[in-house]
Structure formats: structure tokens, C-alpha cells
Amino acid sequence: MQPEFLMALVNILADTSKSQVVRMAAGINLKNFFTSKDAAVKLQYQERWKTFPDDIRCHIKSMVLQTLGTEPSRPSSAAQCVASIACVELPFNVWPEVIPTLCRNVMEQHSTEALKESSLEAIGYICSDIAHPDVLATKSNDLLTAIILGMRKEEPSNFVRLSAAKALLNSLEFTKANFDKTSERHYIMQVLCEATQSPDEQIRVAALQNLVRIVTLYYQYMEHYMGPALFAITIDAMTSQKDAVALQGIEFWSSICDEEVDLAIEAVDAEEAGKPPEQTSKHYVKGALSYLVPILLQTLTKQSEFDDEDDWNPCKAAGVCLMLVASCCENDVVGFVLPFVKENIGHSEWQHRDAAVMALGSIIEGPEPNALIPVMNQAMPMLIRLMESDSNIVVCDSVAWTIGRICELLPAVAVNTDFLATLIVALKNGLAGEPRVASNVCWALSSLAEAAYENEEVQGGDQPFTYALSAYYGDILKALLETTVRQEANSSNLRSAAYESLMELIKNSAKDCYPVIQMVANVIMERLQTVLRMESSVQTADRSQYVDLQCLLCATLQSILRKIQSNDVAKWCDNVMQVLLLMFNSSTGRTGTIQEDALMTVGTLVEVTGMNFLVYMEPFKPFLLMGLKNVAEHQVCLAAVGIVSDLCRAFGAHFFPFADEIMSILIKNLGDTTLDRSVKPHIFSTIGDIAMAIEGNFKVYLEIVLGILHQASQTKVVKEDFDMIDYLNLLRESCLETYTGIAQGLKGNADNPSVDLGLLRPHVPHIMQFIDSIAIDDDHSDGTISTSAGLIGDLCDAYGNNEILSLVTGNVQGMLQEGLKSRESKTSKVCAWALKELHKAK
């Protein structure tokens, strides 16, 4: 796009003689010159703007500012253009006059309503979209002054007040300095509270949205306002007949619940660390229970039979809020909810029955099990009767959900023999009901199977011979198989839910259920073969469902393979591998989703066959290499990388003939900038598995791998980006695992360490420096502590002298001591072992 074209666009936008449609189109095109949903493309656009001559850029900026307040329609196109340019230039200290100009437009007495409104819109867009909010922190006083002036009740224009309220919402992140000052905070809160009383619904909603955000960002300052204002304002909003207002009132208390749950966790952590918490909970929710819970319960009764499942309404919000209240207040909530449940669960109006069931399901997580088990044992027969006999689909759906929650969180109730048989009958019948109900029933059956399995205490975690579901197991699985082929199985995600339930029941099965699993295995294999034969006849419109079905069948097959008894493995493997090779060879097998699931199924086959999988390597290897090279579809590449690790564990030294080709691809992938970064830590870990498997034969790859590891160990990330911090910890952990694999592999399994260990010795100081850099990083994870300790112990074991101890810094010693106190037993044990090895090294 040439500068001349932009000049033409801005001139049209500024020309008041043009029609508004034409001006709006020009504004949209001008804005789109600067922005894109794709971050890389957006950066290219911004760099392109910087190459324009200064005079053209100045003219365009001047014209968009002049256009503010001249458009007869809302929202302002000029405001969007001003914000788009400002977001490019402000981070580089260019266009410094834009913020003062916008603020002056709002604050000048003679500014028109349209100018104030569009200027506030521009401020809101800038605050929302700017990539570096700290740029605006120095301007927060001016911005807030303009915004609060626009929000005041004295402002005659509701349009201006609404734009100001929206701008404030977008500015709250970087106005901490203003909230830290008591006088400024008081004034902001006063204006906001006044705005919540506006007769204009949109202003009221926007003001409440601000309160929701403020209570999250500035919880510690809310005590002064909660009693005198916020409690009454938000409780009143919750009872509003206007859904948009009620939603914000409920959201306010949901946000407080979230904060107070987090503060409770922080208080426990601080107590364990022997220090006071940074913030303490004011227990606002507990203090408001007697007012809050009755309103939430009443709101649950306001649903409509015609509510869209995907629409967010006060009824759904109230259910979520009640769950958060239960998590926050625990046992205290039970006494407020049970009377409502008893009064309404048999009500003649379905809305009240549904509200009672939803209330019961919403408080299952939070209170102590001992407080709920007697209650749920009493309630379960009523829930089963409702499941079997209630004529309303919404009630049945809620009952299925609540039973699922009970099975998941209160397993002792789920397997109670007093009503287990009738519960299973009700759930089986529910599978034939409306798809939305049947989908929840599938989840309930999954939770019931897990509850029954965990209820059988077997030493060593072995599979129990029998369990509570054994007598009903065959009927349940047959009903689920029938559900997967129901005509309405595409509705409410029912087919997926039924297959997922099938997988969970197979996973959580007792030994005496094995004949049923064999029957299911035959059905799944037949379905896979049938689906593959159908490929050429599938219409384009049905292709997506066809692919989804193959993936579900593959996933189910994985669950079955993990349960196949060792004496039956051989007779199943040939057929399974034959079907999987057919899938790889089919046209749909070339699609990423199918490749990924087929590869994962092969991985499961490797787990159960072990060394015997060698016979399949010749026909399978081309598809493995194809998956490893598929950097464009990183999930496929990741699945292939996982199989390489599985093969290493299964084959051991017999993996060596395949190592060259695979190592070549893995090393190439590590240097490929187009491969999603999430795959690379897994590649490092897999290289460690290869080193451990092929032992001394790995030395041919040693120098290049150590060079890549050295480079990866120097990786730095922006500390403000929590996702990148997590990634860095994962990358470091995988590098440590690779070093561990190399050290153990070169040492070998013989009683006397191999001479190949000497090849790694020159690199040990760097490895210890790497561990030291992890130790001094305050953001190191439990995983990096554990793998660091494991590697230190292995190095001590490998070299058996004082050189490791001489390289261990005080920082590393401190990290090992930290690991001893870890809540993860594995970490504490590994750190104890590492310290013992270091002590032996003395």
C-alpha cells in the first residue's frame, strides 16, 4: 500500500461532505493498514509505516486528529485510526502530543459532545491495544483526569459518560500509582459508584464492569468501600431485571471468591514457609453469605426452557458463582443451601426443581466430604427418581450433571450399595434420552467407574480382581457402544462423550471384566476396518466427521491395548498393526489429526509389545520418519518424537540401527525456526533416551549434541511473560534430562564404568555452571530442581571423585536444600539422594 493511497484515504475520512458510509470505509481501510490479528503480519505493517516520509506521516496523523468529533455515526472510525497509529508510535517516543491532545479535547469546556466522545474512544482503544502499557504509566494522571471528568454525573451526555467508563476499564492495568494514593482512589471510586446508579443501562453495566476489574486488581484497598457502597450496589445489581446488569453484579462476587480462594492458598503457603502473607483475606464472601446465597438460589429459578445452551445468562452465572462461593466458604455454605434444596426438589414447577438440583451439584466441591456424604446419601434416591421420571429435559440434564459431580468428588456416595443398582439402571436409560442429557450421563458413568476402581484398595496399585461395577459392566459397555452409533450422536458432542466414557470404563476395569473388553476390542477393530473401506465413498461435507470417528476409534483402541493380557498380545498385534498401516497409507491418513492419533496408537502398541515390535519396524519406519519431518503440523511431529522415546525404552541397544536417520532429523528439527517451540524440549529429552539406549555408540553424535545443549542452556526469556518462564523451565528440564541420558549411556550397565565417560568429562564444568544458573533463577521450577539433583547424583556416581563437589556452588547447595522441603515426594527423595552422593564424594 503506497503513501499516496493512505493520503487519499485520510482525506476522504476527514471530508465532511462525503457520505458517512464512504468515510467509514476509508477509516476501516486506513486502520487495517496498521493492524492484523497475526502478530508477525502486524509487526510488518508497523515497520512499513516507519519507512514513510515524515511529512506524509505527520499529515495523516494531523488529519485523523482533526476528524475526531466530525462523524455523525458511532463508533468513531477516526478514533480507531488515531489509536492504531498511536500504538505504533508511542512505544518509540514518537507522536508525544497525541495523549495531551486527546485529554484536552475531553477537558476543554467548549468541546462538542462528539469530540469528547470520540477522543475518549481513542483513549480507550490505545489503553486496550498498546503492546507496552508501561509507555502510558507516565501519562496516567492526564488520562485518568480526562476519563474521570467524562464519567462524572455532572456530564450531560450519556454517550460521553459511556465512552469514559469504557476507557477507564481499559486503563486500570497501568493506573496502580493512582490507586495507591488514597485521595485519588477515593475520587475514582466515588465517580464509579455514582455511575452505577445511572438510569442508562449501558453506563451502569460499564461502571459495574470497572468494579469487577478493580476488585481483582486492587482487592487490598476495597475495605473502605465495601460496607458503605460496594455491597449495596452489587447486591442491588444482582437482583436487577436487566440481565446485563445482573450478570455484572454476580461477576463482582465471583471475582471476590476467586481472590479470596487464592489468598487462602497463599496464607497456607506463607505459614508453611514461616513468614506472614503479603496480603490477607478480608472474608467478604463469608460475611455476605446470608445475603448472597439466597439471591443466587433465586436466580437459579429464572431459567427458560428456550435458553440457548451457549448463551451466558444470570442463571448460569449464578450457578458458577455458587460453586465459587462453596470453594471459598467451604462448610459454611451448606446450611444456606440445603433448606432451599429440600423445599424445591419436589416443586411442581420445573424451574424450581432444576434450581434445587443445580444448587446441590454446585456445592459438592469445597465443603469437607464428611459434611456432604450424609446429605448426598439422602439426596441420591431422589436424584435417581428425577432421572427416571422427570418429564423436563433441563431437569434431567442437571440431574445427570449433579450425579456426575457426586461420582467424581464423593466416590463413597457413588458406590453406595443401597442404590448402586438403581443408579446404573437410571444412567443406562439416560443414554437413550435427549443427546444433551445422554452426554452428561456418559461423563457420570466415567466418574462412577473411576470411583468404583479407586474404592478397591489393592496393594501396589495392581488391578483388582473384581469391583462394584463388575456385575453391570457388560451391559454398560454395550449401552455405550450403542450410544456411539445413535442417529443423533452428532448432537451435543454425544459420540465423543460416549467413546470417552468407553475409554474410562476400560481403563478403570477389574480383571473379571476382561471378556467384555475382548468383545469391545473386536467391535472397535471391525469399525476401524469398515471406516477405512468407506474412505473413497465419503462426501467432502462428511469428511470432518469421518476423520473425527477414526481418531475416536484409535483412542479407544489405545485404551484396549493397555488392558490386553500378556498372553493375548501376540494374536492382537498383527491385526492392529495392519489396520494402522492401512490408515497411514490412506489419503485421510496424510491429514495431521489422523497421523497424530495413529502414531499415538503405535506408541501404545510399542509399550505392550516391547522388543517384539522390531518385526514391524521395516514397514513402519517410513511413516515414523514422515511424522518426524512434519514440522508444519507440530502435533504430528510431537507424537512421532514420543514414539522414538518409546522405541528406545523397548529396544535398548537394538535401537542403534535406526539411530542415524532419526538423529539426523531430530538435530535438523532443533535448528528449524518454523517448528513450534513446544516440540523442542521433547526432542532434547528423546535424544537423552537415545543416548541411554545405545550407550557408547552415542559418542558419534556427542560433540554436535553437546554444542546444541550448550546453546540451549544459554536461552533467556522476558521475565514478565509467564508462558515463556514456563517454557524456559521445560527447556532446561529437558536439557538436564539429555545430559543425564548421555552420562548414564556412556557409563554403561557394566560394573566398571566405560572409558567413553572420559568424553563427557571436559564438559562437566559447563554442565555444573548450567545448574548454577538455574539455581540463581528465582523462577526455577520443582521439575528443574528434581532433574538437576538427579544429574548431580549421576555425575557423582559416574566419576566417583571430588571434582563434582568442587563444582557445586552455594547456590546449588541452597537449591538442593529447597528441594528437600518440596511437597513433591519425588523431588525431595532425589535431592536427598544427590546430597548423599555429594557427601560420599568427600
Side-chain angles (χ1 to χ4, degrees), residues 34-47 131:
F34 298 94
T35 190
S36 169
K37 291 180 180 178
D38 187 311
V41 174
K42 185 176 181 179
L43 187 60
Q44 289 174 11
Y45 287 177
Q46 293 173 351
E47 291 300 320

Side-chain angles (χ1 to χ4, degrees), residues 757-779:
L757 262 177
L759 297 171
L760 184 63
R761 179 174 258 125
H763 302 274
V764 170
H766 167 72
I767 294 172
M768 296 306 298
Q769 287 171 13
F770 175 40
I771 294 175
D772 183 67
S773 71
I774 293 171
I776 61 177
D777 186 346
D778 292 337
D779 292 316

Side-chain angles (χ1 to χ4, degrees), residues 667-683:
I667 289 169
K668 183 180 178 183
N669 284 355
L670 286 173
D672 192 329
T673 55
T674 64
L675 177 61
D676 190 282
R677 69 166 186 260
S678 63
V679 181
K680 295 187 178 182
H682 297 278
I683 293 176

Side-chain angles (χ1 to χ4, degrees), residues 580-631:
L580 291 171
L581 291 172
L582 284 172
M583 286 181 69
F584 285 123
N585 274 309
S586 68
S587 59
T588 51
R590 308 291 178 184
T591 63
T593 310
I594 293 292
Q595 277 191 55
E596 180 188 353
D597 282 275
L599 285 168
M600 290 173 73
T601 308
V602 171
T604 307
L605 198 58
V606 173
E607 285 177 34
V608 299
T609 56
M611 183 72 76
N612 294 326
F613 191 83
L614 266 169
V615 298
Y616 304 117
M617 278 303 291
E618 185 178 346
F620 171 62
K621 190 174 78 168
F623 301 110
L624 174 61
L625 299 181
M626 187 190 306
L628 290 171
K629 292 174 182 176
N630 192 350
V631 294

